[in-house]
Amino acid sequence: MIRFIKKVEWCEAKHLHLAVPLPDNISVYCEDYMPYRELPIVGLASMEVADKVDKGRRVWTSKVSATLPSRPSVPNAPMSIRLTTVDGTQYIMGLSSRPHPVITVQDKFPDSPTGQCSCVFSATMQGPMPILRIEPFEVWDDAHFGDF
């Protein structure tokens, strides 16, 4: 599980066509600039990652949740979610090819005057890989590729 997510950003998955998943199956190389838009989260976001074996294959389920001050306009296109932890490590959920995260937004209306109105943003993805750590280009070396 990843803890202390301070930034959640999203962009259309089509922009990640040059992203390269590395052979370790836990990291990916992405270009530095992508047209990500930051979601204005309140506090920290949460992340859950679980795996199970189904019919002899490992299936990963990843979910990120964040509280937003207002409902965002959810694009009608496959999206990619980039997460940044407080130590600066970045992770990505969804690349240009399937699977893509399923995004839902739930409005919360309090039952008392002292409660706070908000929206809960959730992105869930299920597939053969967990969320991937974004590696800077400098770490590409023989440790990642061997005799590739």
Side-chain angles (χ1 to χ4, degrees):
M1 176 165 15
I2 300 170
R3 298 182 186 172
F4 309 119
I5 297 169
K6 69 175 184 177
K7 188 191 289 188
V8 178
E9 301 165 291
W10 62 355
C11 79
E12 288 189 33
K14 68 180 181 182
H15 296 294
L16 283 107
H17 66 280
L18 296 177
V20 179
L22 299 175
D24 62 8
N25 273 343
I26 59 168
S27 52
V28 64
Y29 167 70
C30 288
E31 292 183 36
D32 289 335
Y33 175 76
M34 291 290 169
Y36 279 101
R37 293 178 308 193
E38 186 173 349
L39 291 168
I41 66 173
V42 176
L44 298 172
S46 66
M47 181 74 185
E48 298 174 32
V49 179
D51 66 321
K52 66 179 180 179
V53 176
D54 184 27
K55 298 179 184 176
R57 293 186 172 193
R58 184 161 309 279
V59 177
W60 294 88
T61 302
S62 304
K63 180 178 181 181
V64 62
S65 298
T67 301
L68 306 177
S70 62
R71 175 180 275 276
S73 174
V74 180
N76 191 18
M79 299 298 285
S80 174
I81 309 293
R82 183 169 65 182
L83 310 168
T84 305
T85 62
V86 293
D87 68 359
T89 305
Q90 291 187 320
Y91 296 87
I92 196 164
M93 177 190 281
L95 298 174
S96 62
S97 59
R98 292 182 181 181
H100 297 109
V102 175
I103 297 171
T104 59
V105 180
Q106 178 184 18
D107 293 312
K108 293 178 101 178
F109 298 100
D111 58 357
S112 68
T114 59
Q116 183 179 15
C117 293
S118 64
C119 290
V120 176
F121 170 91
S122 296
T124 306
M125 189 176 79
Q126 201 170 32
M129 292 188 291
I131 63 164
L132 301 172
R133 184 180 61 246
I134 298 174
E135 295 285 356
F137 183 72
E138 297 81 40
V139 301
W140 280 36
D141 57 17
D142 290 336
H144 281 95
F145 289 102
D147 296 328
F148 205 18

